[in-house]
């Protein structure tokens, strides 16, 4: 009976547990719900919406609480840069995301900077007002500022960011800058150079040794990027002079213990000097005439090896192949060294390259300059065959505009494999100039000028200038305007207006005033040649004629109007317009006056200047000029338009010191000007053995020529001595590219002259811009 009661009790307990205790392998709905995320709660956010925070979460409502997903969500939120702190934790079945937002930058300021302007620093950093603040971005900007200072020679610069907290989670960011002393390059040394001296190599590179007068330049500061560029310049210099095996083994910069001076050392291995051996052209797949191609080559057997001439030959061969229908031709130089003979055999191999066409040309970075101003300098258009030579030439033409600090060309794949997109990236620079200058010369005495010019007016490439000059001999005001692509055509057009007052009392016993204007237009004939036309109208007055002036001068007194039409041909291949060392510039002008007005004459004059580097640093300059003119329609040529030579145009003689001169009784032997002249110059400039950084060069020269043919048979010229005697002078000079402007001192002796010529041994000129 007792066992029966126990059995019944156990059975009842089992039935009760079966109804009220769930099976362990099957969780209840309540249990399943408690192990998953029922809600994501965002706390601490002020500006950022909660839904934005939830969008970055890798775990979502309904997902189980996964430590891996929570870690991924934490990393994602930090990577947004929006938060300085993020915590994720569980609160019951809710997932709580507690954030601390990074502040917003209200203002950015710079303190302590004087060497660099705020505008330059602002361009360099990435952070801007109304941008989220992060410590990583601030540190990156600190590094950028320090790099900028180091490029300008401030290696001791220190930058410390400061935060000023404002309401509503905003801050002011202040970069406190301690610039420190400027670091400069104290010395530049070369090791291993035998063929070129240290001074010659210093003149090749951009970096310069510091000198007290170089306060206006940054070339004497250390810049790692500039150091690499200097290595490349050294390589080009040696390759140009035949040293094909040249290497820069190292270029090091050592900072002195004082923290202000750098010592640069270049270790080089020159190798032997090579000459060109056999030079041939292999037309390859192009099947072009090898003899016709050989004529385009500028490298010749026996000449000193010059890598720049190889590049020039490649350019000319590529262009020649393109003209003959092979737009995709590639020219590859195959070089064979023969060390035993110190020669390099050179073969230009021509092959048909892959056919690629230009799908589109984009221009970016030009904020003010119009697209068409850049595009018209590009030697290619959409649809043309891609040509590397023409792309490089386009870059050079755009750079030559002098509108941009930087011109980069990017090539991106087009819509198909045989198409390419060219992107011209430019960075604009200031194109306006306000210039003040002052100086002294033996011809003009004390002189000064003020000029205001704009090279890219309205972003259309227009050039305009207003200039005024003042000296004891001459005062002038000139306004000019020109459009290099008039009506969007490949022709220039412009005008100018001027007034000039000239004192010629000491030369010809009169003063003059000229007021007028001119219209001009020009068209290119070739890459180096140009044709220009000009029409001008000038009102002139000869006044203050001395009582004992010569008869021709007295007859010229009064007012006249000149209407003149001229045509000029210009040919220019100079390598540098300011300091040429190679090339030719020639110009010839034909003009006629009398198409209106009351003066009648025709005139033909020209000049040419040829430069050739004889040896490193030694430049030969051959100059020649000549002219002929005469009156017509029963009129003599006007005195203001005749040729007067001397001074700077013929050293060893005074201004207007040669040519026809009145010898009449009671006169002052006035110069009356001639109608025919021819003058030549042979000049050689050379280094004086001083450090190149001094910028001082020497010159030896000889000027020779004549000026004659006063108008006749007017009786007023009866007492004029008119001799075609050859005049010759020779002398020496010193040229100094000083910190205050160019200075030149010449001493010339008149070796051969006419009886009445007026000589002048010393010629001096100096000036500066500020």
């Amino acid at each position: 009976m007792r066992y029966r009661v126990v059995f019944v009790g156990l059975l009842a307990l089992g039935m009760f547990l079966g109804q009220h205790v769930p099976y362990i392998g099957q969780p209840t709905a309540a249990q399943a719900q408690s192990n998953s995320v029922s809600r994501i709660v965002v706390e601490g956010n002020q500006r950022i919406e909660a839904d934005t925070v939830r969008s970055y979460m890798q775990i979502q409502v309904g997902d189980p609480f996964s430590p891996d997903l929570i870690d991924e969500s934490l990393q994602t939120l930090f990577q947004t840069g929006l938060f300085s702190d993020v915590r994720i934790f569980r609160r019951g079945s809710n997932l709580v995301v507690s954030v601390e937002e990074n502040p917003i930058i209200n203002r950015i300021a710079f303190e302590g900077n004087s060497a660099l302007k705020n505008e330059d620093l602002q361009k360099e950093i990435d952070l801007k007002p109304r941008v989220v603040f992060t410590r990583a971005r601030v540190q990156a900007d600190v590094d950028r500022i320090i790099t900028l200072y180091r490029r300008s020679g401030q290696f001791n610069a220190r930058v410390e960011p400061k935060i000023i907290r404002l309401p509503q989670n905003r801050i002011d960011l202040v970069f406190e800058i301690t610039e420190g002393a400027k670091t400069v390059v104290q010395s530049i040394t070369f090791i291993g150079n035998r063929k070129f001296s240290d001074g010659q190599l210093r003149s090749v590179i951009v970096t310069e040794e510091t000198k007290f007068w170089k306060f206006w330049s940054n070339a004497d500061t250390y810049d790692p990027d500039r150091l690499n560029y200097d290595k490349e310049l050294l390589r080009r210099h040696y390759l140009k002079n035949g040293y094909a095996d040249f290497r820069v083994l190292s270029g090091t910069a050592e900072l002195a213990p004082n923290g202000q001076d750098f010592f640069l050392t270049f270790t080089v291995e020159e190798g032997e000097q090579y000459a060109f051996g056999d030079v041939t052209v292999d037309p390859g797949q192009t099947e072009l005439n090898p003899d016709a191609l050989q004529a385009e080559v500028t490298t010749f057997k026996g000449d000193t090896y010059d890598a720049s001439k190889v590049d020039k030959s490649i350019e000319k061969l590529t262009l020649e192949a393109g003209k003959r229908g092979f737009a995709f031709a590639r020219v590859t130089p195959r070089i064979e060294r023969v060390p035993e003979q110190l020669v390099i055999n050179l073969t230009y191999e021509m092959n048909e390259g892959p056919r690629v066409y230009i799908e589109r040309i984009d221009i970016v970075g030009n904020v003010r300059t119009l697209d068409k101003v850049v595009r018209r300098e590009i030697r290619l258009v959409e649809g043309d065959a891609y040509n590397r030579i023409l792309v490089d030439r386009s870059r050079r033409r755009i750079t030559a505009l002098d509108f941009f600090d930087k011109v980069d060309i990017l090539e991106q794949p087009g819509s198909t494999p045989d198409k390419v997109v060219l992107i011209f990236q430019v960075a604009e620079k200031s194109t306006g100039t306000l210039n003040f200058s002052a100086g002294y010369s033996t011809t003009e005495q004390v002189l000064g000028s003020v000029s205001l010019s704009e090279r890219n007016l309205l972003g259309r490439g227009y050039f305009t200038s207003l200039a005024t000059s003042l000296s004891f001999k001459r005062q002038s005001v000139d306004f000019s305007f020109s459009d290099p692509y008039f009506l969007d055509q490949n022709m220039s057009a412009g005008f100018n207006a001027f007034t000039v007052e000239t004192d010629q009392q000491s030369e010809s016993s009169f003063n003059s005033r000229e007021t007028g204007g001119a219209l001009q237009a020009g068209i290119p004939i070739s890459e180096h040649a140009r044709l220009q036309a000009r029409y001008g109208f000038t009102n002139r007055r000869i006044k203050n004629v001395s009582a004992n002036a010569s008869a021709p001068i007295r007859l010229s007194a009064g007012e006249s109007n000149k209407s003149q039409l001229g045509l000029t041909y210009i040919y220019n291949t100079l390598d540098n317009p300011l300091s040429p060392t190679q090339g030719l510039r020639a110009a010839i002008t034909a003009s006629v006056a009398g198409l209106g007005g009351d003066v009648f004459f025709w005139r033909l004059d020209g000049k040419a200047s040829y430069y050739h580097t004889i040896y490193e640093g030694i430049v030969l300059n051959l100059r020649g000029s000549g002219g002929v003119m005469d009156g017509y329609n029963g009129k003599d040529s006007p005195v203001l338009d005749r040729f007067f030579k001397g001074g700077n145009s013929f050293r060893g003689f005074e201004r207007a010191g040669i040519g026809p001169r009145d010898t009449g009784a009671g006169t002052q032997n006035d110069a009356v000007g001639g109608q025919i002249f021819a003058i030549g110059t042979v000049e050689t400039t050379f280094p004086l053995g001083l450090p190149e950084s001094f910028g001082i060069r020497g010159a030896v020269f000889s000027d020779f020529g004549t000026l004659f043919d006063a108008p006749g048979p007017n009786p007023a010229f009866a007492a004029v001595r008119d001799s075609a005697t050859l005049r010759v002078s020779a002398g020496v000079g010193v040229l100094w590219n000083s910190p205050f402007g160019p200075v030149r001192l010449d001493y010339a002796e008149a070796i051969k002259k006419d009886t009445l010529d007026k000589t002048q041994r010393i010629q001096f000129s100096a000036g500066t811009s500020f």
Side-chain angles (χ1 to χ4, degrees):
M1 184 68 181
R2 185 173 53 192
Y3 292 109
R4 185 179 299 172
V5 171
V6 172
F7 176 77
V8 171
L10 292 173
L11 181 60
L13 179 61
M15 294 176 63
F16 176 80
L17 292 175
Q19 293 178 354
H20 297 282
V21 179
Y23 178 61
I24 294 177
Q26 297 290 332
T28 64
Q31 282 182 321
Q33 185 174 5
S34 65
N35 284 326
S36 62
V37 178
S38 62
R39 184 165 163 241
I40 298 177
V41 179
V42 179
E43 297 178 351
N45 57 312
Q46 299 178 18
R47 300 182 316 275
I48 302 170
E49 296 290 337
D51 286 342
T52 301
V53 178
R54 295 188 186 101
S55 68
Y56 291 113
M57 298 291 291
Q58 303 300 304
I59 186 171
Q60 300 296 325
V61 173
D63 292 343
F65 285 96
S66 168
D68 293 338
L69 291 177
I70 291 175
D71 286 343
E72 290 180 16
S73 300
L74 197 64
Q75 293 176 14
T76 303
L77 288 170
F78 270 117
Q79 289 171 358
T80 64
L82 299 173
F83 311 104
S84 60
D85 189 26
V86 179
R87 293 183 300 115
I88 302 178
F89 56 90
R90 178 175 179 176
R91 184 185 293 159
S93 62
N94 295 334
L95 186 64
V96 179
V97 182
S98 177
V99 298
E100 183 177 333
E101 296 179 355
N102 276 320
I104 293 292
I105 298 175
N106 176 64
R107 183 175 64 93
I108 297 176
F110 303 93
E111 294 181 356
N113 56 305
S114 59
L116 297 177
K117 296 179 181 179
N118 287 352
E119 295 80 5
D120 296 331
L121 295 172
Q122 190 67 59
K123 292 177 183 177
E124 189 69 19
I125 64 175
D126 280 344
L127 287 172
K128 308 293 179 190
R130 297 182 296 279
V131 170
V132 175
F133 169 90
T134 67
R135 296 189 180 278
R137 296 179 70 180
V138 170
Q139 186 56 49
D141 281 346
V142 167
D143 294 340
R144 290 188 182 93
I145 294 173
I146 290 177
T147 299
L148 191 63
Y149 267 98
R150 289 187 172 183
R151 288 177 180 171
S152 63
Q154 308 280 140
F155 269 76
N156 294 319
R158 299 291 181 268
V159 181
E160 185 176 355
K162 298 288 187 180
I163 297 173
I164 302 175
R165 296 198 173 272
L166 302 174
Q168 300 177 349
N169 200 24
R170 295 177 301 123
I171 63 166
D172 284 345
L173 178 60
V174 180
F175 291 97
E176 291 186 353
I177 301 171
T178 304
E179 294 183 334
K182 186 176 181 180
T183 50
V184 295
V185 176
Q186 192 64 38
S187 72
I188 302 176
T189 305
F190 296 89
I191 299 174
N193 53 311
R194 295 176 289 107
K195 302 299 182 181
F196 296 96
S197 66
D198 283 14
Q200 289 174 314
L201 295 182
R202 289 191 194 102
S203 67
V204 171
I205 63 178
V206 175
T207 306
E208 300 177 355
E209 293 180 343
T210 185
K211 301 296 179 185
F212 72 91
W213 62 80
K214 293 184 178 179
F215 54 85
W216 79 99
S217 171
N218 284 328
D220 61 347
T221 59
Y222 170 66
D223 183 345
D225 294 334
R226 190 189 296 151
L227 182 66
N228 291 329
Y229 182 55
D230 286 339
K231 294 178 184 178
E232 176 62 19
L233 291 177
L234 288 171
R235 189 186 71 84
R236 294 180 190 175
H237 171 74
Y238 272 92
L239 288 178
K240 184 178 179 181
N241 288 278
Y243 296 91
D245 296 328
F246 172 80
R247 292 188 303 158
V248 179
L249 300 179
S250 66
T252 60
E254 181 181 354
L255 184 62
N258 62 10
Q260 299 181 20
D261 298 329
F262 272 99
F263 298 89
L264 302 188
T265 302
F266 293 92
T267 304
V268 302
E269 184 179 288
E270 291 179 327
E272 298 295 335
Q273 188 180 47
Y274 285 80
F276 285 112
D278 295 329
V279 179
T280 58
V281 179
D282 179 4
Q285 300 171 346
T286 64
E287 299 181 354
L288 294 172
N289 185 351
D291 294 334
L293 295 174
Q294 192 75 39
E296 302 297 321
V297 173
T298 60
T299 53
F300 304 102
K301 184 176 182 178
D303 287 355
T304 300
Y305 177 77
D306 185 343
S308 65
K309 289 184 178 180
V310 176
D311 293 338
K312 185 65 176 178
S313 298
I314 292 173
E315 179 178 346
K316 295 183 70 175
L317 288 170
T318 303
L319 291 175
E320 183 64 21
K323 291 177 184 177
R324 296 175 182 270
F326 292 90
F328 305 96
R330 285 185 174 179
V331 181
T332 304
R334 189 177 74 241
I335 294 176
E336 179 189 356
R337 285 181 174 84
V338 185
E340 300 81 11
Q341 303 176 19
L342 293 179
V343 297
I344 292 179
N345 296 326
L346 180 61
T347 301
Y348 296 97
E349 295 181 340
M350 305 187 68
N351 294 290
E352 185 75 2
R355 296 180 178 271
V356 179
Y357 298 89
I358 298 174
E359 180 177 19
R360 193 174 72 250
I361 298 176
D362 294 336
I363 301 169
V364 298
N366 52 318
V367 178
R368 188 167 64 99
T369 306
L370 300 183
D371 270 14
K372 69 176 184 179
V373 173
V374 180
R375 197 173 291 274
R376 64 198 183 193
E377 303 299 330
I378 300 174
R379 302 293 90 184
L380 297 159
V381 297
E382 284 89 347
D384 280 357
Y386 176 84
N387 188 310
R388 164 57 61 186
I389 302 299
L390 294 180
V391 171
D392 291 340
R393 182 176 294 179
S394 301
R395 185 207 308 271
R396 292 196 297 269
R397 290 179 63 91
I398 296 172
T399 302
L401 290 173
D402 201 23
F403 298 166
F404 309 106
D405 274 326
K406 183 176 64 172
V407 179
D408 293 326
I409 301 178
L410 303 180
E411 300 173 7
Q412 294 185 351
S415 57
T416 58
D418 64 342
K419 293 181 180 180
V420 65
V421 176
L422 293 182
I423 302 176
F424 288 79
Q425 288 187 336
V426 298
E428 293 183 325
K429 68 178 181 180
S430 174
T431 53
T433 303
L434 176 62
N435 186 68
F436 301 87
S437 65
Y440 176 84
S441 73
T442 50
T443 302
E444 298 282 346
Q445 299 181 19
V446 178
L447 54 92
S449 68
V450 180
S451 64
L452 175 65
S453 64
E454 170 57 59
R455 302 189 305 276
N456 188 19
L457 185 65
L458 304 177
R460 296 177 177 271
Y462 300 151
F463 175 85
T464 183
S465 72
L466 176 63
T468 178
S469 65
L470 175 67
S471 73
F472 287 131
K473 288 287 188 180
R474 191 172 185 271
Q475 303 85 44
S476 68
V477 178
D478 188 294
F479 174 78
S480 63
F481 172 87
S482 66
D483 179 0
Y485 283 82
F486 184 60
L487 299 178
D488 292 329
Q489 301 299 313
N490 194 13
M491 64 176 293
S492 62
F495 67 89
N496 76 310
F498 60 88
T499 181
V500 183
E501 291 270 355
T502 307
D503 180 355
Q504 292 183 239
Q505 290 290 340
S506 61
E507 299 90 1
S508 303
S509 302
F510 71 87
N511 294 348
S512 67
R513 174 195 51 79
E514 299 180 74
T515 302
L519 301 174
Q520 56 191 9
I523 56 171
I525 299 175
S526 68
E527 190 72 18
H528 303 293
R530 190 171 188 83
L531 194 63
Q532 293 183 341
R534 176 184 175 91
Y535 170 76
F537 186 88
T538 309
N539 175 264
R540 297 106 63 85
R541 185 175 184 84
I542 294 178
K543 57 185 181 178
N544 300 335
V545 177
S546 174
N548 55 353
S550 67
I553 300 300
R554 292 198 303 271
L555 287 176
S556 300
E559 189 172 342
S560 63
N561 293 306
K562 180 177 72 171
S563 175
Q564 184 175 5
L565 180 66
L567 191 65
T568 301
Y569 173 82
I570 301 171
Y571 181 80
N572 190 352
T573 61
L574 296 183
D575 59 345
N576 187 315
L578 299 179
S579 301
T581 60
Q582 206 77 29
L584 169 69
R585 189 186 192 281
I588 184 169
T589 301
S591 59
V592 59
L595 308 176
D598 50 19
V599 296
F600 298 87
F601 69 90
W602 59 267
R603 176 169 169 163
L604 180 68
D605 60 291
K607 57 184 178 181
S609 188
Y610 172 75
Y611 294 85
H612 177 69
T613 300
I614 302 174
Y615 187 70
E616 188 71 25
I618 302 177
V619 179
L620 172 67
N621 177 210
L622 303 177
R623 296 195 299 271
S625 61
V628 59
M629 67 176 299
D630 201 358
Y632 71 94
N633 201 25
K635 296 289 186 75
D636 292 329
S637 59
V639 64
L640 291 177
D641 298 294
R642 291 181 212 136
F643 302 116
F644 290 83
K645 297 299 175 181
N648 292 332
S649 62
F650 203 136
R651 289 162 293 189
F653 297 90
E654 289 186 4
R655 177 181 177 182
I658 69 170
R661 193 173 297 276
D662 195 337
T663 61
T667 66
Q668 303 182 83
N669 292 338
D670 292 331
V672 297
Q675 297 183 131
I676 300 175
F677 85 95
I679 297 175
T681 295
V682 177
E683 179 174 290
T684 301
T685 59
F686 50 86
L688 292 176
L690 299 172
E692 290 290 333
S693 57
F694 285 12
I696 299 178
R697 294 174 60 81
V700 294
F701 60 84
S702 177
D703 294 342
F704 48 90
T706 186
L707 169 63
F708 62 99
D709 191 28
N714 193 321
F717 291 87
V720 171
R721 177 177 174 80
D722 188 0
S723 171
T725 300
L726 177 68
R727 282 84 164 176
V728 179
S729 69
V732 297
V734 176
L735 299 79
W736 180 27
N737 188 18
S738 77
F740 316 104
V743 176
R744 176 157 186 156
L745 175 66
D746 288 325
Y747 175 87
E749 191 72 38
I751 300 173
K752 184 176 177 55
K753 62 186 180 67
D754 190 57
T755 306
L756 296 179
D757 288 344
K758 295 184 177 182
T759 61
Q760 183 182 63
R761 290 187 174 91
I762 303 295
Q763 290 263 339
F764 174 77
S765 64
T768 187
S769 298
F770 47 88

